[in-house]
Amino acid sequence: MRTGGPAGCAGGQPDPAQDKTGRGNGGRGRGKLTVIGTGPGNLEHLSRRALQALAEAEVVVGYKTYIGLIASLLNDKEVVSTGMTREIERCELAIDRARQGAAVALVSSGDPGVYGMAGPALELLARENALTEIEVEIIPGITSATAAAALMGAPLMHDFVVISLSDLLTPWEIIEKRLDLAARGDFVIVLYNPASRKRTRQVQAAREILLACKGPQTPVGIVRNAGREGEEIILTDLDKMLAYRVDMFTVVIIGNSHTYSAGNYLITPRGYRV
Amino acid sequence: MRTGGPAGCAGGQPDPAQDKTGRGNGGRGRGKLTVIGTGPGNLEHLSRRALQALAEAEVVVGYKTYIGLIASLLNDKEVVSTGMTREIERCELAIDRARQGAAVALVSSGDPGVYGMAGPALELLARENALTEIEVEIIPGITSATAAAALMGAPLMHDFVVISLSDLLTPWEIIEKRLDLAARGDFVIVLYNPASRKRTRQVQAAREILLACKGPQTPVGIVRNAGREGEEIILTDLDKMLAYRVDMFTVVIIGNSHTYSAGNYLITPRGYRV
């Protein structure tokens, strides 16, 4: 077994993994927690499975802004909504109701497994050794990276990284290091949570880090409110990207060294001879 | 303007980007090309927009295996299917039919913008200066990374990279470098196209590169045929991952240094206090 690693590498792994197959979930009949990805917000981008699971739910729990986007699907269901940053509270509420026997839908915009609600919900159940007590299903959704990319053309056609610029839960030094490594690897880079009303410095710092490695003319796409009211699509470059508004409803995609703009599109070639 | 960069960084940008907003596509009435992401393959994971666009299409073009998965939705439409590696031919066929005035759906499994058909279709249109000649719409889909992640629990809850191990179109040296940088950044790592019948060496080499930085007990999830017949979900670790079958229908997710297994799930904490 190798345990060491070059300097700069992360440490080892505290929890040994085990080989396992299948889900084998007990607890049917004691309620169900369905964590649903609702996609970018436009009802057209929900999957049939997500729609079906919403229809089957007795209780729907979510962040109030996103609950608003799917309100027309909720009819006379019991709806529990809370504000931003209250993710753990929403998970606890949803789990409690499922334990009481209800069919509970915990909704998450985009994909629930990408900075969404699937993680904290499972973490809470794991902490309480309750993973088999209720039935759990994670329903994937279209994540902002690919929803935004579709509006720009095809910027994600080659290897890419997704990095959240929010340093509320992640030390900024780690985010900085990841930005630098992503630039050195010539990855296409997708930035989630580039800025909020109070957090405006991070996107400026990120741009500086990327400019150390990438040219100022590197294509950048900025999408606000993908698929929702107020949708904005900006195609610009690293040099000028700070001239445009970014916020918590914005995704920024920075091209690799081969990405180019053509008409109203950003295209990253995969290497086909066209 | 900064033009230089540290050693190891990629070169500059040959095509200057321009600031643009909106799509402003002319050419309506001269046919339409819709590039549709059909998700992991299970019809339940298609979005309502994808279903609607398929219903509106007169001609459906795709790789025969994926056409087979959505055959029940195609009724009496004209279907054009070709084999693997004939992506450019399929794009050309689809574009030709759209130019002749047809409503053409070019289908792509997963998301069409992630190693899918959106890139080559737009590249071909750009090369021919034909981007405004027909109406183009890219419809996102659930990509394999998040479909597979949902089946494993929540392994993608923190910054992640997507890397294809196929060296048919990308030099292996670039893939190796990206794997190394991704490991150094402690990203969760998603491997697409880990192996094919002829390509079996790459996943072994990738594991060696990752082991230089990540511990042998780092959790690894392997999903074959996500959401399709023959679905397999394996939770294992870097040490033992080669004991399982991987192929072109497999996605491999390698955790970061905080990823742990709990029951039948892989969970990557985001940093919430749970």
Side-chain angles (χ1 to χ4, degrees):
Chain A
M1 261 179 36
R2 299 169 68 169
T3 50
C9 286
Q13 187 55 40
D15 303 81
Q18 296 170 265
D19 295 358
K20 283 158 198 152
T21 55
R23 286 269 78 88
N25 194 319
R28 267 176 206 270
R30 290 232 51 199
K32 176 169 180 178
L33 177 67
T34 311
V35 190
I36 302 179
T38 57
N42 183 320
L43 297 183
E44 286 199 320
H45 287 111
L46 267 93
S47 72
R48 297 208 290 189
R49 181 73 198 107
L51 287 164
Q52 185 190 18
L54 278 173
E56 288 166 0
E58 296 160 318
V59 183
V60 177
V61 181
Y63 168 44
K64 62 185 178 203
T65 302
Y66 296 121
I67 286 283
L69 294 169
I70 57 167
S72 63
L73 303 174
L74 303 183
N75 302 320
D76 52 357
K77 290 177 197 301
E78 184 186 345
V79 174
V80 182
S81 64
T82 74
M84 191 134 63
T85 76
R86 295 173 69 179
E87 292 86 358
I88 300 304
E89 185 185 327
R90 287 199 292 281
C91 287
E92 283 168 345
L93 283 164
I95 290 169
D96 282 351
R97 295 305 302 276
R99 282 177 142 171
Q100 288 158 22
V104 181
L106 177 61
V107 298
S108 197
S109 70
D111 182 277
V114 177
Y115 313 115
M117 301 299 284
L122 290 174
E123 280 192 80
L124 279 168
L125 287 168
R127 188 196 63 183
E128 298 172 19
N129 288 313
L131 280 167
T132 55
E133 200 181 317
I134 54 172
E135 189 184 345
V136 176
E137 181 182 358
I138 314 294
I139 299 179
I142 291 166
T143 189
S144 306
T146 68
L151 292 168
M152 292 176 201
L156 290 187
M157 279 296 295
H158 216 292
D159 304 336
F160 64 96
V161 316
V162 171
I163 299 176
S164 167
L165 292 191
S166 172
D167 56 358
L168 295 179
L169 300 171
T170 305
W172 177 248
E173 297 69 37
I174 291 179
I175 300 171
E176 272 186 323
K177 180 181 174 188
R178 289 179 177 164
L179 288 164
D180 175 59
L181 293 166
R184 287 172 191 273
D186 197 24
F187 286 97
V188 178
I189 299 173
V190 186
L191 303 180
Y192 278 49
N193 309 312
S196 69
R197 224 170 292 176
K198 292 180 190 164
R199 258 190 332 100
T200 56
R201 187 190 58 78
Q202 287 79 355
V203 69
Q204 298 171 31
R207 174 178 167 274
E208 286 300 317
I209 291 166
L210 300 180
L211 275 170
C213 237
K214 288 173 173 280
Q217 266 81 58
T218 301
V220 171
I222 302 173
V223 175
R224 277 189 75 232
N225 292 314
R228 296 194 295 264
E229 209 183 310
E231 178 175 281
E232 282 178 17
I233 306 160
I234 308 283
L235 304 188
T236 178
D237 61 26
L238 257 183
D239 190 41
K240 296 188 280 302
M241 65 176 270
L242 294 180
Y244 303 94
R245 174 158 66 147
V246 295
D247 58 20
M248 291 299 279
F249 303 104
T250 306
V251 170
V252 179
I253 300 184
I254 295 131
N256 71 17
S257 62
H258 299 283
T259 304
Y260 62 95
S261 64
N264 288 332
Y265 293 107
L266 286 188
I267 301 171
T268 301
R270 186 163 178 206
Y272 294 113
R273 285 164 202 245
V274 295
Chain B
M1 260 181 34
R2 301 167 68 167
T3 50
C9 286
Q13 188 54 41
D15 304 81
Q18 295 169 265
D19 294 1
K20 285 158 194 150
T21 54
R23 288 268 76 89
N25 193 318
R28 266 173 207 272
R30 290 232 51 201
K32 177 169 179 178
L33 176 67
T34 311
V35 190
I36 302 179
T38 57
N42 184 321
L43 297 182
E44 286 199 321
H45 288 110
L46 267 94
S47 72
R48 298 208 288 190
R49 181 74 198 105
L51 287 164
Q52 186 190 18
L54 278 174
E56 287 165 2
E58 296 160 318
V59 183
V60 177
V61 182
Y63 168 43
K64 60 183 178 203
T65 302
Y66 295 122
I67 287 283
L69 293 170
I70 58 167
S72 63
L73 303 174
L74 303 181
N75 303 320
D76 52 356
K77 292 177 195 302
E78 183 187 345
V79 174
V80 182
S81 64
T82 74
M84 190 132 65
T85 76
R86 294 172 69 180
E87 292 85 358
I88 300 305
E89 186 185 327
R90 287 198 292 279
C91 287
E92 283 169 343
L93 284 164
I95 289 168
D96 282 351
R97 296 303 303 276
R99 282 177 141 169
Q100 288 158 24
V104 181
L106 177 60
V107 298
S108 197
S109 71
D111 182 276
V114 177
Y115 313 114
M117 301 299 284
L122 290 173
E123 280 191 80
L124 279 167
L125 288 168
R127 188 196 64 182
E128 298 171 19
N129 288 314
L131 280 168
T132 56
E133 200 181 315
I134 54 171
E135 188 185 346
V136 177
E137 181 182 358
I138 314 292
I139 299 180
I142 292 167
T143 189
S144 306
T146 68
L151 292 169
M152 291 176 204
L156 290 186
M157 280 294 298
H158 216 294
D159 305 337
F160 64 95
V161 315
V162 171
I163 300 175
S164 168
L165 293 192
S166 172
D167 56 358
L168 296 178
L169 300 170
T170 306
W172 177 249
E173 299 66 38
I174 291 179
I175 300 171
E176 271 186 323
K177 181 181 174 188
R178 288 179 177 163
L179 288 164
D180 176 59
L181 293 166
R184 287 173 192 275
D186 197 25
F187 286 97
V188 178
I189 300 172
V190 186
L191 304 179
Y192 279 50
N193 310 313
S196 69
R197 226 170 292 175
K198 291 180 190 164
R199 259 190 332 98
T200 55
R201 186 191 58 79
Q202 286 78 356
V203 68
Q204 297 169 30
R207 174 177 167 274
E208 285 301 317
I209 292 166
L210 300 181
L211 275 170
C213 239
K214 287 174 173 281
Q217 265 81 58
T218 301
V220 172
I222 302 172
V223 175
R224 278 189 75 232
N225 292 312
R228 295 194 297 264
E229 209 182 311
E231 178 176 281
E232 282 177 16
I233 307 159
I234 308 283
L235 303 188
T236 178
D237 61 27
L238 258 183
D239 190 42
K240 295 187 281 300
M241 64 177 271
L242 294 180
Y244 303 94
R245 176 158 67 145
V246 295
D247 58 22
M248 291 300 279
F249 304 104
T250 305
V251 171
V252 179
I253 301 184
I254 295 132
N256 71 16
S257 63
H258 298 284
T259 305
Y260 62 95
S261 65
N264 289 332
Y265 293 108
L266 286 188
I267 302 171
T268 301
R270 187 164 177 206
Y272 294 113
R273 284 165 203 244
V274 297

